[in-house]
Amino acid sequence: MDMSQYKELFLSEATEHVRGMNEHIVALEINAEDKEKVDSLFRYAHSIKGMAASMGYSDMSELAHKMEDLMEGVRRGDVTFAGEVADLLLEGVDILQEMLRDLEKDGEGSYDVQDILGRLSRFVAPKERVGDLYAARSQLSNTPLNVESEENSVDKINSGVMLERREFRQTVRVKTELLDRLINVTGELITNKHRLVMLERGLGSAALTESVTQLSRLLQILHGEVMKVRLMPFAAIAECFPRMVRDLAKKSGKEVLFVVEGTEIELDRGILEALADPLIHLLRNAVDHGLETASARVSSGKPAAGTVTLQLRREKDQVALAIEDDGRGMDPAALIESAIARKLVKPEERGSISPRQAFMLTCIPGFSTAKQVTDISGRGVGMDIVRSSVLSLGGNLSIDSVVGKGTRITVRLPLMVAIIHVLLVGCSSLTVGIPVMRIHRTLELDRLLITNCGRQKVFSLADEEIPLLSLNRIVGEPFMPFTGKTIPVLVTEVRGKKVGIIVDRFVGQQELFIKPLGRPLGKLRVVAGFAILGDGSVVMILDTLGM
Amino acid sequence: MTYTESRFLIFALDEEKYALPLQDVEEIVEFQDIYPLPIAPSYYSGVMNWHGTPVPILDLAAFYKKASLNDGNKVLVLDRKIANLALRVHSVFGIVSGVVDSAPGAGGIDGVENSVVVCGSKIAVLEIEKLLLLLEEGVNSR
């Protein structure tokens, strides 16, 4: 199997994590009380461990694991983040960087890590290991040696900085940013084109009309090409999962049947990149925590081999990913007790937590239901990383589970990059846009055809009775009584049912570049994003699905 | 808490002065044409076209339930990495260097924990992350 495309992804992500570790260690050395930085440093180490393990870089994975252990100690308060800890962690980061550089040059990424692993281990849970006193003493006698090697490492670091600067320009991340800019510029060109079209209409020059038409055609081609450049099949990241699941299964002594669906679906590269890491965590959790051992499964009447399914679907403007296992499931009550024991939930709140909320407790940093730390999926720390990366993409995550039957985690992500056809409609003084793909049809409805069904106004369309809503009410504008003989109505779908929406006027159709609301308005109901019109004004794009 | 000196942007809501860590501010612009932001809570003034990017504007005084200042004429565009948001304020005084000190509830705002001393007076430091969390909580409150 060709691993090169995943390797590039891995390198760019790992390099980013390592850079983050460098920053955080230095910051923590200045202020050791910053809990958030402690948490994210821990997560960086955890992510590198996971990614490296899935790529088969065992030295890197082991080193990151030991660094993660040390950070866990810091997090628990067993280890103080003093100068020595920072030195050791930075040394670890330098080695990680060294490994990444080696991999970049098509090396194996291997490194003799035994020395640093030993020194990292000494810090972990010192209270539990009396024997470490001897180890520490023997380390003392080694001190001169360490000084010497530190001198060497200064040189290494200096040369490392230079190397990194050079490589920085070659990373995938930069390329993706460039592509993003390309898309942005294309989007703005299309916005500008509409402006030109508006101006051209007033002038009536045949030559101008001709060149504007030509421009439109070229822009359409450009748009198509730019979008295609960013598309990659889901397989680009999904192909390495079967191997990963197999290795995980072997390591944990479980039998796993792994099914992937939807690998042919093409997705925006930015989404794929952002998805890789969360998916690895979710699959690890499914195998390690979700599935039972073969013997436990047989004795509860299940087939010996557990099934893990990864399914990708496109739902109009969204991507829905489901990771499902038929394992032991999660017990909401046990999750709540575990959260109480970790002081994440107050005991008196026990009764007011629904099962769905209980499942989401697993997404709180520091939460874990694993009874012991394992090499495979550690402490369930993955869930908070998964959730925060999904949220930062403007998506959401939900968890369903039945004890004894299994767990399903669904991740929904919006398509980040979008130029879509929008119908602009007026509603009192407002203009808003509605994606054309959401609209079944538009019509000028004769007001005599409107009848009452209880309190609900309805009208008949092809023998179907369709309820009527007012856009004014949806967007919170004052209701205007309609005066004309006919009323502009668009027919759309709300929660799977046809609905007519009364608007004040149809303004027209346009191709618009949709920009996300971003933080903090990202979860505003009904609104899908903003768009800028040819005259520079900003309109809201409504998502009728959320009405 | 370590006492390190950092730079702050000092601005005012009505008479009261507040500070924002300078690195959280991308640009200060004049209050300009804005477009309506229906559905969003009423403490948003609207959305502006900021160099081709739609950026929602929060009327900070209205949000903190101080008098809404429709004459607020400065807009602080927040760091794009933190949020897609701009804060409408009354006026901007300038940039100062100072040391952060703890001062819960300073400036009459819940959730303020720190202040910075400028010319002998304590000025409440707004924490953007906390503000964003509150805004996210209330996003569908209209």
Side-chain angles (χ1 to χ4, degrees):
Chain A
M1 188 173 63
D2 175 26
M3 296 289 284
S4 60
Q5 51 191 345
Y6 322 122
K7 190 175 157 189
E8 212 183 353
L9 260 175
F10 165 81
L11 283 176
S12 89
E13 270 181 43
T15 308
E16 206 183 307
H17 287 328
V18 166
R19 210 174 290 145
M21 286 179 95
N22 255 324
E23 264 174 45
H24 279 55
I25 295 169
V26 175
L28 279 170
E29 210 173 9
I30 295 165
N31 176 12
E33 299 304 308
D34 193 337
K35 288 249 155 52
E36 242 176 70
K37 287 227 163 62
V38 172
D39 278 345
S40 35
L41 189 51
F42 175 73
R43 287 199 299 247
Y44 280 136
H46 181 81
S47 295
I48 293 178
K49 177 191 77 177
M51 295 186 319
S54 68
M55 294 292 294
Y57 306 141
S58 53
D59 286 347
M60 187 181 295
S61 165
E62 248 182 278
L63 174 56
H65 193 177
K66 279 286 178 293
M67 291 169 77
E68 181 195 5
D69 280 340
L70 177 49
M71 287 313 299
E72 170 73 358
V74 173
R75 189 143 102 166
R76 275 201 310 254
D78 294 347
V79 178
T80 326
F81 199 100
E84 216 181 335
V85 173
D87 283 346
L88 198 51
L89 285 173
L90 282 174
E91 200 185 329
V93 168
D94 286 342
I95 295 175
L96 289 175
Q97 239 158 5
E98 194 71 52
M99 291 168 164
L100 288 172
R101 273 196 280 275
D102 186 39
L103 286 169
E104 199 124 299
K105 284 180 270 176
D106 288 322
E108 301 290 339
S110 45
Y111 195 98
D112 185 6
V113 287
Q114 289 318 312
D115 171 56
I116 186 157
L117 289 184
R119 281 181 292 138
L120 279 165
S121 301
R122 262 169 223 146
F123 269 102
V124 179
K127 285 168 193 163
E128 291 161 27
R129 282 197 240 150
V130 187
D132 271 6
L133 202 61
Y134 294 103
R137 206 176 269 167
S138 72
Q139 195 203 1
L140 266 180
S141 62
N142 280 335
T143 307
L145 245 173
N146 282 342
V147 171
E148 200 180 325
S149 67
E150 259 168 38
E151 272 170 8
N152 282 337
S153 66
V154 171
D155 284 345
K156 242 189 249 167
I157 291 165
N158 283 339
S159 61
V161 170
M162 278 162 59
L163 261 174
E164 202 200 11
R165 267 194 205 137
R166 196 158 5 104
E167 281 159 20
F168 187 69
R169 295 200 189 93
Q170 295 170 355
T171 54
V172 176
R173 171 148 285 279
V174 176
K175 284 187 205 154
T176 316
E177 272 172 8
L178 235 165
L179 283 175
D180 281 343
R181 265 173 47 202
L182 212 57
I183 296 223
N184 259 303
V185 173
T186 308
E188 270 147 34
L189 275 174
I190 288 173
T191 306
N192 247 290
K193 179 203 78 179
H194 285 290
R195 189 164 185 189
L196 271 178
V197 170
M198 275 163 63
L199 290 171
E200 169 260 317
R201 269 185 206 141
L203 292 172
S205 146
L208 185 59
T209 307
E210 163 70 26
S211 36
V212 167
T213 313
Q214 178 71 3
L215 177 70
S216 298
R217 209 173 299 133
L218 289 171
L219 275 176
Q220 191 124 34
I221 296 170
L222 178 65
H223 175 214
E225 296 301 313
V226 167
M227 297 306 273
K228 250 188 268 161
V229 170
R230 283 187 63 95
L231 286 181
M232 275 174 88
F234 180 51
I237 59 168
E239 265 175 7
C240 69
F241 292 151
R243 168 74 196 275
M244 190 190 94
V245 170
R246 201 200 76 148
D247 288 354
L248 286 171
K250 258 196 169 168
K251 220 164 195 173
S252 58
K254 292 171 183 173
E255 285 176 43
V256 182
L257 181 68
F258 182 50
V259 184
V260 195
E261 289 166 20
T263 51
E264 76 289 351
I265 295 174
E266 290 203 317
L267 286 175
D268 183 272
R269 183 178 185 130
I271 296 182
L272 272 183
E273 243 176 64
L275 269 180
D277 215 9
L279 277 180
I280 288 172
H281 282 299
L282 291 173
L283 289 172
R284 281 168 173 268
N285 280 350
V287 175
D288 190 39
H289 298 316
L291 294 181
E292 316 90 327
T293 56
S295 56
R297 289 179 64 89
V298 170
S299 66
S300 59
K302 288 179 175 179
T307 304
V308 174
T309 312
L310 170 63
Q311 189 196 47
L312 178 78
R313 287 192 319 271
R314 268 189 78 160
E315 291 179 351
K316 294 197 173 174
D317 289 357
Q318 285 191 322
V319 193
L321 252 169
I323 296 95
E324 199 170 349
D325 67 68
D326 66 346
R328 57 173 75 93
M330 291 192 284
D331 177 7
L335 293 173
I336 294 169
E337 291 314 312
S338 178
I340 291 172
R342 282 168 179 78
K343 299 197 171 62
L344 298 169
V345 169
K346 293 191 186 110
E348 59 266 29
E349 290 172 347
R350 192 181 269 128
S352 60
I353 299 174
S354 70
R356 197 165 272 258
Q357 287 169 325
F359 297 140
M360 294 310 286
L361 290 172
T362 55
C363 298
I364 300 174
F367 184 93
S368 167
T369 51
K371 293 219 168 52
Q372 65 185 72
V373 174
T374 70
D375 177 36
I376 296 182
S377 124
R379 310 130 176 113
V381 64
M383 285 311 288
D384 73 300
I385 303 182
V386 171
R387 185 160 177 272
S388 57
S389 34
V390 170
L391 287 183
S392 70
L393 289 171
N396 64 56
L397 178 146
S398 60
I399 305 174
D400 294 294
S401 190
V402 179
V403 174
K405 296 271 193 227
T407 302
R408 184 176 63 227
I409 294 175
T410 310
V411 172
R412 269 176 222 287
L413 292 168
L415 291 181
M416 287 189 297
V417 185
I419 297 174
I420 58 176
H421 274 96
V422 168
L423 177 70
L424 292 172
V425 297
C427 152
S428 55
S429 61
L430 278 177
T431 303
V432 298
I434 295 174
V436 169
M437 66 173 129
R438 291 271 194 267
I439 300 172
H440 290 274
R441 61 173 295 182
T442 59
L443 64 157
E444 295 282 337
L445 184 63
D446 189 329
R447 56 189 307 174
L448 297 174
L449 295 177
I450 300 174
T451 54
N452 283 317
C453 174
R455 274 195 183 164
Q456 178 69 56
K457 292 214 182 304
V458 299
F459 72 101
S460 293
L461 185 71
D463 293 333
E464 203 179 342
E465 208 162 69
I466 297 175
L468 271 172
L469 296 175
S470 148
L471 186 61
N472 290 56
R473 184 167 295 173
I474 291 164
V475 300
E477 286 287 307
F479 184 71
M480 313 265 274
F482 12 94
T483 46
K485 187 170 173 290
T486 60
I487 300 158
V489 169
L490 60 91
V491 180
T492 179
E493 215 168 272
V494 175
R495 280 179 229 105
K497 282 191 186 138
K498 272 189 195 161
V499 170
I501 295 180
I502 300 170
V503 301
D504 286 351
R505 60 198 174 277
F506 294 125
V507 179
Q509 232 189 80
Q510 269 194 25
E511 258 181 332
L512 290 175
F513 177 43
I514 308 300
K515 302 201 173 182
L517 295 169
R519 232 185 140 196
L521 283 175
K523 287 211 188 124
L524 190 58
R525 68 189 169 84
V526 190
V527 181
F530 294 118
I532 293 182
L533 302 185
D535 62 359
S537 62
V538 181
V539 295
M540 269 188 158
I541 307 302
L542 302 185
D543 185 348
T544 55
L545 278 188
M547 281 176 183
Chain B
M1 191 92 213
T2 351
Y3 296 91
T4 44
E5 197 167 87
S6 26
R7 302 211 291 162
F8 295 92
L9 181 79
I10 309 294
F11 64 92
L13 300 179
D14 264 339
E15 300 297 299
E16 189 96 45
K17 289 193 182 87
Y18 297 91
L20 260 182
L22 188 61
Q23 76 263 18
D24 292 350
V25 181
E26 182 95 27
E27 192 181 333
I28 304 166
V29 294
E30 294 293 323
F31 188 73
Q32 48 183 298
D33 284 350
I34 57 165
Y35 304 94
L37 198 53
I39 303 168
S42 54
Y43 41 75
Y44 288 93
S45 307
V47 54
M48 67 172 169
N49 179 348
W50 180 70
H51 310 315
T53 302
V55 178
I57 300 177
L58 176 71
D59 184 337
L60 203 55
F63 180 68
Y64 285 129
K65 299 206 174 58
K66 310 204 165 246
S68 163
L69 31 97
N70 288 321
D71 57 340
N73 61 0
K74 289 279 192 253
V75 174
L76 316 179
V77 180
L78 297 182
D79 183 355
R80 308 290 304 150
K81 287 192 281 299
I82 308 175
N84 183 33
L85 187 69
L87 308 178
R88 184 181 186 184
V89 301
H90 195 237
S91 52
V92 173
F93 288 92
I95 294 161
V96 299
S97 287
V99 174
V100 166
D101 198 1
S102 109
I109 293 177
D110 283 347
V112 165
E113 283 178 4
N114 296 319
S115 71
V116 59
V117 175
V118 177
C119 300
S121 56
K122 276 193 175 183
I123 294 180
V125 176
L126 293 189
E127 226 179 287
I128 291 299
E129 192 55 32
K130 269 190 192 145
L131 173 65
L132 289 173
L133 287 174
L134 284 175
L135 289 171
E136 280 181 317
E137 256 171 49
V139 70
N140 285 318
S141 62
R142 176 140 158 188

